[in-house]
Structure formats: structure tokens, C-alpha cells
């Protein structure tokens, strides 16, 4: 402490440099005393500004020691406070060679105490892969604090809202501690800095050179040179909301579409882009009363898309998946070429090739745009990072195929038929028709609530469940008995319902899957008498409570429960789906009897039943497989349906395999080395596999007990 304020001689150079005390010094690290280079280190630069130290630049732009140093004060002006002389022995040396030469010189003159290994947090360039050297340069800045004040108030008073709301805290923390914004970049492309210099170095700023000359009365004899720098990409991007609409002219587009409604972005650029768009828009765009206009009303923040193990996608890791490759497909050879390229180091390229060949041995299959869009929506839980899963993409490609095939079924059974749109003749809606209409209305309500609250993952789940399970899985199956054996009015009612629900369903899912829905709709719209040329101009579906028949919905859910009970028994007992069964029922209520009577045709057709026979509670029954539907007991006599010995043998083999799989997975999870080294996502997969194996084992043991009792 007693040396603070004194000077010390810098070896080799002979320069006297001041000793200062500063909060940046870490007393727990090393000696607690360190030499600083304000012109060549970000932290040292801040220390230098606090103590008004001279800034000495010793490097050229190519990273070599200069013939003569540049000395500046803290305002960036040239200074003669210190000598610009540099030791001749080091002039012109490349930076790394100079460092070795300095160490050698220290050792030669006896100043080298010792050399220790030390971990340095040195920044490397993404593209060049070499150490970045901070360096003093002249740059253009925007004074950001006045802009940030207005932009912060817009979020505070609710003119702009973040979804999820917690990201407002991230926005405020950056804006409340904002620094002046460096907006010039030394790049080959971008908006050129609108500044010109005369031969004496005086600077002029204007929209173009003509304006500069006119406003400053400069004759053509005065030579002007425009600044070679371009504007920071984020500065140009910050103009996006209004510059794309014709600004600076007050165009009709600008008046009609500004402010916009929702901005969708990742949390990692809230400061780089979102905050700067708000600042720039509110500075340049005012309403008729002079009030600053916000660029958008809502900022919907997404998570980052990571690979299946939770790692950030990176070209250097070779785990980036191009969306176009998932849409169109790509061969393994082309994928390897794309991921490694010509500029990558051989060792890294080999590592990436090995990883890619393991991940995609056959390349990437074609999945289509709609499947990719749906997958992204289904994974988009608000604000959370997404671990990309190719299996989900494959599943949603199957979903697109399911929708396509279901639409073909509808068209085959409705084209060239009376579907009840033009005819005045009566039609009759079946229980299944009334049920699907009610189900669809509830789907519209839940789906729109999810969309309105930016829960696209929930919206995707809702539309998937209705389309796959209710419309395709149940309703289409339930229409077949009517279309095959119903009277004219019943068939017309079912055809009408098929068209109405499908056409509206296509409109509902269109924002997520625009291409397949438009293609199908063009065919369906003709049958539904829609006059528009495109689905995009159609009204979006709205919930209609009057279309919901609660009694019909409850009755059909009971029918579904009955069918599921029969199918579950078939599956557990390995009874062929096509084999007709006789069913006994016990403990049936009056409501159960009514539903059985009214839906007997449905039940026998869908569940493949020969007969449904009610019995008294006191009656003895043969050995049966049993399932419950509420208090109703559904029983299928097993005698003659299965080969007892063969079934027990099958179950024994299945149990043996499952128990081995279970033991192998349990062994992995008991391995401390595996658990400590494997990513969390991998461990979670193994735990899920173990739980699934255990559940399957329990089910097989239950089946074995039942069959042994026959």
C-alpha cells in the first residue's frame, strides 16, 4: 500500500509506470499485484480509464510489434505523456514470437524468477480459431441511456409485454445498466457509415455526400472520403419494424401495419435485437400527437433448440441439423460433406464424421415442411430450451400421413354422393355424428385458449389428440356401419358430418400445417360449397356451445369404454381381433341397458361380438377374462378361445426377455461411472426404460395368473 502513487521501471523498455490501487485487483489470486496493459485488455482498459492512465498501443493490425508505439489519453486523443520508443530487438516480431523473445531476454539478464503453468481464459475467434487481441480503434457510438429510458418505460407501463413474463427482468437488468452502443463495424457488407472526412480529418455527417456539401458549403474542390466502416448488424436490424414498411416516408403500409402485434424470438437476443428495436422505433416513429410508438405489443420468447443430449447446436461439434435437410432429406455422404467442409482441421473433421455416421447411418429421411413445423410447435414449451428429437419428427410425419389417409376416406365416401348441403331432404345424425361434433367444439375452445396464451405445445397436443384419436381412431371407424348398412337419411347425416368436421378441422390446424391443409381443403371445399379460392381467406373456427349434445357425448364415451374393455381383453389374452366373441354382462344399471339396446349394432360391429348376454349377480359363470366399466362387469368366457399351454409358454419367453432387459438397464444405473459421466438426458432415458420394463413384467405376471386358473 505504501508504494501506491509511486513509479516503477518497466524492464527492457526503461519506461517509468505508475503504481495504482484498484478494485479490479484480486488479492486472493497470485501475488495480488499485476502489470496492466490498458490498450490491450478489456478489464485493464477500464482500470486505465478510472486512473486516467496513458493508453499505449504496441501492435499493428496484423499482430506484429510496431516500429513505434501509439500513445493516447483516456479521451482517445494522441498524447506525448510517455515516450513512443520500443526496443529495437522486438520491432516487427509476430506477437507470439515476441512473447518468447521477451521471456528469453528476461532469463538472459537475470530477471526471470520462475515459469508456472497457468490456466488462461483467453478469447478465440469463432472462424479463425486464433487468440483475439483487444486493441484501441476509432469507432462510432450511440449514446444509449436516453433511448433506453423511453424503451424501459414502454415495458413498465404494459405497452409491451413479454411472454413468459419473467423475461421482463432480463430486459430491465440490461436496460438499467446500459452502456454507450458501439455501432461501427469493419466488415465488407452492411449499411455504410454516413460520415465523410476532408483531407484535414474533419468529419461531416449526412444522408449522402450531396447533402454534406450543401449544408457545409463545401465546393467540389474539397475532397471527401466516406468512412469505410459499416453499421453494426444489430443497428440495421433495429430499424426492421418500420424500415420494411417504407419509412422514412409515411406510407400507407406504415400507417396500416405499424405497430406490429407479436415478435417471436429467442431469449439470447433480447438485448441485441428486441431492446434495440424498441429503442430505435420509439426514437424515430411518433404518432400524430408526438407520442413515441412501440414496434410491437407482445414479445413471445422461445427457448433454444439443442441436440438430443441437451448440447447447444454448434458447427464445431458437428451436431447442427439443417431444417431443409429434415424437410427434403439428405444422404449420409452429403451430410458428412456439409458438416465438415473444406476448412475444418482433419482431426476435428474425423471426429464429426464418426459421430454423424453413428447418429445418421442412412442419412436423414425426407419428412416434409408440415411435419417439421408441427414438431417445433409441439416442443415449444414457453421459454424452455428444446432438446431436438428425430423420433418426434418421425411421429409427426406419421401424423401428416394419418390426416392425408383420413381425408382420402372422407372424400371416397362423400364425392358423387348427396352430403346434405344442397338438398332439402331430411337427414339423421347418428350418436357418433353428434359426439364428434361436440368433441370438435370442445377442441376448438381448448385449442384457441392455448393459442391465445402462446402455449403452442398445448395447442399441438390438443389438435393431435383430436385428429388421431377421436376423428381418425374412433369416429371414422364408427361411420363404417352407417355408411355400409344405414338408411339414406342416416348416411346423408354421416357424410354431412364428415365433410363439416374435416373442413373446419383443416382451417383450425392451418397455421401450424399450412401446406397439407391447403391441399386437402381444395378438394373438401368443393363438397362443402365454400366459395373462397384458398383456405387462408376462410374464417377461423369459433366455439359454438349450441352444437354440443352432452347426452350424446356421454353415451358415446360409454360405448367407447365398452369397446376398449373388449379390446383390452383381446390384447392381454392374445385373441385375434377378427374372432367373434360372446360377452356376459353383470350388475348392469338401467342406463347401461338403455345404452346397450340403442347401440347394439355399433358394439357388435366395432368390437366384433356375436352376442351380449346380461346375467344375474347370483349366476355362476365359467372362467372368464373380466373388465369393469363403472360398476358394469364385462366378462368373456375363455374356454376354447386360447391354447392354455401355448399361451403360458409365450408369456414365459416374454418374461425371460423382459427380466434380462430390466437387469441390464438396472446394472447401467447402478454403475457409478456411467451415472457420473452420462448426460442427464441419457440417464433419464434409461430410467424411463426401466420403469417401462417393470410395468410390462407386472402385466405379464397378471396374465399368467389368469390363464393358469382356466
Amino acid at each position: 500500500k505504501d508504494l501506491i502513487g509511486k513509479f516503477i521501471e518497466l524492464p527492457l523498455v526503461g519506461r517509468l509506470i505508475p503504481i495504482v490501487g484498484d478494485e479490479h485487483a484480486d488479492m486472493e489470486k497470485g501475488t495480488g499485484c499485476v502489470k496492466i496493459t490498458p490498450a490491450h485488455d478489456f478489464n485493464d482498459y477500464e482500470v486505465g480509464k478510472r486512473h486516467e492512465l496513458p493508453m499505449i498501443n504496441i501492435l499493428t493490425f496484423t499482430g506484429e510489434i510496431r516500429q513505434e508505439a501509439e500513445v493516447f489519453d483516456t479521451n482517445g486523443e494522441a498524447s506525448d505523456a510517455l515516450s513512443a520508443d520500443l526496443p529495437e530487438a522486438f520491432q516487427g516480431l509476430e506477437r507470439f514470437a515476441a512473447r518468447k523473445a521477451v521471456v528469453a531476454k528476461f532469463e538472459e539478464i537475470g530477471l526471470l524468477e520462475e515459469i508456472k503453468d497457468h490456466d488462461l481464459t483467453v478469447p478465440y475467434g469463432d472462424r479463425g480459431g486464433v487468440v483475439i487481441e483487444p486493441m484501441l480503434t476509432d469507432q462510432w457510438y450511440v449514446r444509449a441511456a436516453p433511448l433506453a429510458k423511453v424503451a424501459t418505460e414502454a415495458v413498465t407501463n404494459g405497452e409491451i409485454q413479454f411472454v413468459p413474463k419473467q423475461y421482463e427482468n432480463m430486459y430491465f437488468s440490461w436496460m438499467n445498466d446500459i452502456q454507450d452502443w458501439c455501432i461501427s463495424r469493419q466488415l465488407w457488407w452492411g449499411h455504410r457509415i454516413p460520415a465523410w472526412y476532408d483531407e484535414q480529418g474533419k468529419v461531416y455527417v449526412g444522408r449522402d455526400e450531396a447533402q454534406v456539401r450543401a449544408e457545409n458549403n463545401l465546393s467540389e474542390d474539397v475532397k471527401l472520403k466516406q468512412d469505410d466502416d459499416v453499421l453494426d448488424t444489430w443497428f440495421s436490424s433495429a430499424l426492421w419494424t418500420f424500415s420494411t414498411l417504407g419509412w422514412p416516408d409515411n406510407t400507407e403500409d406504415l400507417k396500416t401495419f405499424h405497430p406490429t402485434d407479436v415478435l417471436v424470438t429467442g431469449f439470447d437476443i433480447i438485448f441485441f435485437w428486441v431492446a434495440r428495436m424498441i429503442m430505435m422505433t420509439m426514437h424515430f416513429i411518433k404518432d400524430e400527437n408526438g407520442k413515441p410508438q412501440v414496434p410491437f405489443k407482445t414479445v413471445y420468447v422461445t427457448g433454444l433448440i439443442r441436440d438430443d443430449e441437451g448440447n447447444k447446436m454448434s458447427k464445431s461439434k458437428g451436431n447442427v441439423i439443417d431444417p431443409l435437410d429434415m424437410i427434403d432429406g439428405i444422404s449420409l455422404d452429403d451430410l458428412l460433406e456439409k458438416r465438415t467442409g473444406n476448412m475444418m482441421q482433419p482431426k476435428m473433421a474425423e471426429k464429426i464424421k464418426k459421430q454423424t455416421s453413428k447418429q445418421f447411418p442412412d442419412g436423414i429421411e425426407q419428412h416434409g415442411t408440415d411435419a417439421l413445423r408441427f414438431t417445433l410447435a409441439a416442443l415449444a414449451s414457453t421459454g424452455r430450451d428444446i432438446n431436438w428429437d428425430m423420433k418426434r419428427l418421425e411421429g409427426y410425419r406419421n401424423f401428416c400421413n394419418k390426416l392425408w389417409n383420413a381425408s382420402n376416406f372422407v372424400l371416397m365416401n362423400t364425392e358423387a354422393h348427396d352430403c346434405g348441403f344442397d338438398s332439402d331432404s331430411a337427414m339423421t345424425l347418428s350418436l357418433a355424428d353428434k359426439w364428434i361434433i361436440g368433441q370438435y367444439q370442445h377442441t376448438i375452445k381448448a385449442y384457441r385458449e392455448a393459442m391465445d396464451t402462446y402455449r403452442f405445445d398445448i395447442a399441438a397436443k390438443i389438435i393431435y389428440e383430436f385428429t388421431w384419436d377421436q376423428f381418425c381412431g374412433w369416429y371414422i371407424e364408427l361411420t363404417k356401419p352407417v355408411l355400409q348398412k344405414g338408411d339414406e337419411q342416416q348416411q346423408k347425416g354421416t357424410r354431412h358430418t364428415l365433410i363439416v368436421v374435416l373442413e373446419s378441422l383443416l382451417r383450425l390446424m392451418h397455421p401450424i400445417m399450412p401446406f397439407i391443409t391447403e391441399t386437402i381443403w381444395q378438394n373438401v371445399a368443393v363438397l362443402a360449397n365454400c366459395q373462397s379460392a384458398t383456405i387462408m381467406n376462410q374464417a377461423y373456427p369459433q366455439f359454438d356451445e349450441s352444437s354440443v349434445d352432452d347426452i350424446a357425448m356421454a353415451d358415446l364415451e360409454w360405448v367407447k369404454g365398452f369397446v376398449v374393455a373388449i379390446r383390452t381383453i383381446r390384447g392381454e389374452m392374445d385373441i385375434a381381433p377378427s374372432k367373434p366373441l360372446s360377452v356376459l354382462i353383470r350388475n348392469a344399471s338401467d342406463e347401461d341397458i338403455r345404452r346397450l339396446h340403442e347401440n347394439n349394432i355399433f358394439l357388435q360391429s366395432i368390437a366384433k361380438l356375436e352376442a351380449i348376454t346380461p346375467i344375474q349377480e347370483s349366476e355362476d359363470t365359467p372362467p372368464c377374462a373380466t373388465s369393469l366399466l363403472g360398476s358394469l362387469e364385462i366378462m368373456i368366457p375363455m374356454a376354447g378361445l386360447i391354447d392354455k399351454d401355448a399361451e403360458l409358454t409365450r408369456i414365459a419367453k416374454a418374461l425371460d426377455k423382459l427380466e434380462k432387459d430390466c437387469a441390464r438397464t438396472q446394472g447401467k444405473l447402478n454403475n457409478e461411472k456411467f451415472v457420473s459421466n452420462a448426460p442427464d438426458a441419457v440417464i433419464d432415458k434409461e430410467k424411463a426404460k426401466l420403469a417401462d420394463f417393470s410395468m410390462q413384467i407386472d402385466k405379464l405376471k397378471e396374465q399368467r395368473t389368469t390363464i393358469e386358473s382356466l
Side-chain angles (χ1 to χ4, degrees), residues 303-529:
L304 301 178
I305 299 181
R306 300 179 178 273
D307 69 14
D308 55 356
E309 293 184 358
N311 299 313
K312 189 172 181 179
M313 289 194 182
S314 159
K315 287 184 180 178
S316 61
K317 290 181 180 177
N319 62 348
V320 174
I321 307 177
D322 188 332
L324 293 178
D325 292 339
M326 291 187 279
I327 292 170
D328 299 327
I330 186 171
S331 69
L332 177 59
D333 289 341
D334 289 343
L335 183 60
L336 291 173
E337 176 64 26
K338 192 171 188 177
R339 284 191 166 184
T340 54
N342 298 322
M343 302 297 291
M344 188 171 286
Q345 295 176 350
K347 200 175 271 188
M348 184 182 290
E350 195 57 40
K351 180 181 176 183
I352 289 173
K353 283 182 178 179
K354 188 175 180 181
Q355 177 183 323
T356 302
S357 299
K358 182 179 178 182
Q359 187 181 10
F360 301 110
D362 301 315
I364 299 176
E365 292 181 23
Q366 183 179 19
H367 291 86
T369 307
D370 287 313
L372 179 60
R373 288 173 62 100
F374 199 93
T375 306
L376 289 168
L379 294 174
S381 54
T382 50
R384 295 179 185 172
D385 286 359
I386 295 169
N387 287 3
W388 185 253
D389 185 352
M390 289 298 292
K391 286 188 172 60
R392 292 287 291 272
L393 178 60
E394 291 168 13
Y396 294 128
R397 178 183 59 184
N398 295 341
F399 176 63
C400 292
N401 292 339
K402 188 81 168 178
L403 176 64
W404 184 268
N405 292 335
S407 302
N408 280 338
F409 172 86
V410 173
L411 292 170
M412 283 191 301
N413 285 280
T414 54
E415 288 176 323
H417 292 282
D418 183 357
C419 298
F421 289 98
D422 298 321
S423 174
D424 294 330
S425 61
M427 59 182 175
T428 304
L429 297 184
S430 70
L431 176 66
D433 297 333
K434 296 174 184 176
W435 169 78
I436 198 64
I437 291 169
Q439 282 284 0
Y440 179 59
Q441 289 302 320
H442 286 308
T443 298
I444 294 173
K445 184 179 181 182
Y447 181 83
R448 293 196 60 149
E449 285 174 359
M451 294 288 273
D452 289 344
T453 53
Y454 303 97
R455 289 307 305 267
F456 303 118
D457 55 333
I458 295 176
K461 183 180 178 183
I462 290 167
I463 205 77
Y464 180 95
E465 194 277 336
F466 173 80
T467 305
W468 190 287
D469 295 334
Q470 310 304 337
F471 186 73
C472 299
W474 280 103
Y475 178 62
I476 284 181
E477 196 66 25
L478 293 169
T479 62
K480 291 175 182 177
V482 177
L483 294 173
Q484 291 166 5
K485 300 177 181 177
D487 60 33
E488 185 180 344
Q489 291 187 4
Q490 291 171 334
Q491 290 181 349
K492 190 189 301 182
T494 292
R495 286 194 291 264
H496 185 88
T497 305
L498 280 166
I499 291 294
V500 166
V501 174
L502 177 59
E503 189 276 331
S504 183
L505 177 60
L506 293 170
R507 283 186 277 130
L508 193 67
M509 62 171 62
H510 179 71
I512 297 181
M513 300 200 303
F515 299 104
I516 191 172
T517 51
E518 177 76 71
T519 302
I520 297 171
W521 185 86
Q522 291 294 331
N523 293 303
V524 175
V526 176
L527 301 176
N529 289 341

Side-chain angles (χ1 to χ4, degrees), residues 13-31:
V13 181
R15 184 185 298 130
L16 290 179
I17 56 177
I19 299 172
V20 299
D22 190 86
E23 62 195 31
H24 179 63
D26 184 355
M27 300 302 292
E28 303 299 321
K29 187 175 181 181
T31 64

Side-chain angles (χ1 to χ4, degrees), residues 162 167 170-171 174 266-275 301:
F162 279 76
Y167 284 105
M170 184 182 289
Y171 176 82
W174 279 329
F267 70 84
D268 53 332
I269 55 173
I270 286 176
F271 176 66
F272 291 108
W273 192 37
V274 179
V301 181

Side-chain angles (χ1 to χ4, degrees), residues 158-298:
E159 287 184 84
I160 299 173
Q161 298 189 21
F162 279 76
V163 179
K165 195 170 179 63
Q166 73 254 25
Y167 284 105
E168 290 181 4
N169 298 328
M170 184 182 289
Y171 176 82
F172 289 138
S173 69
W174 279 329
M175 297 296 272
N176 293 336
D177 192 32
I178 200 165
Q179 305 294 312
D180 286 346
W181 176 11
C182 177
I183 61 165
S184 53
R185 293 291 181 271
Q186 294 73 51
L187 300 173
W188 288 105
W189 56 88
H191 292 143
R192 191 99 171 260
I193 294 283
W196 285 260
Y197 303 89
D198 62 21
E199 290 177 307
Q200 287 71 45
K202 185 177 179 181
V203 63
Y204 305 90
V205 176
R207 290 187 180 275
D208 51 39
E209 186 176 336
Q211 184 188 53
V212 166
R213 289 185 181 278
E215 291 183 352
N216 294 278
N217 296 317
L218 301 177
S219 69
E220 292 298 323
D221 296 337
V222 178
K223 291 184 179 179
L224 295 178
K225 182 179 186 301
Q226 188 174 356
D227 199 311
D228 288 327
D229 287 359
V230 298
L231 290 166
D232 170 25
T233 302
W234 295 113
F235 184 96
S236 298
S237 301
L239 311 174
W240 179 76
T241 60
F242 52 90
S243 64
T244 54
L245 297 173
W247 179 88
D249 297 327
N250 190 23
T251 63
E252 284 301 313
D253 282 351
L254 189 62
K255 288 185 280 188
T256 303
F257 298 112
H258 203 278
T260 56
D261 192 11
V262 181
L263 173 74
V264 182
T265 187
F267 70 84
D268 53 332
I269 55 173
I270 286 176
F271 176 66
F272 291 108
W273 192 37
V274 179
R276 287 167 176 173
M277 277 195 286
I278 297 172
M279 288 192 291
M280 297 293 272
T281 304
M282 297 189 76
H283 178 74
F284 284 112
I285 308 297
K286 310 286 195 298
D287 64 16
E288 60 273 12
N289 300 316
K291 182 179 182 296
Q293 196 176 80
V294 297
F296 30 71
K297 299 163 190 171
T298 302

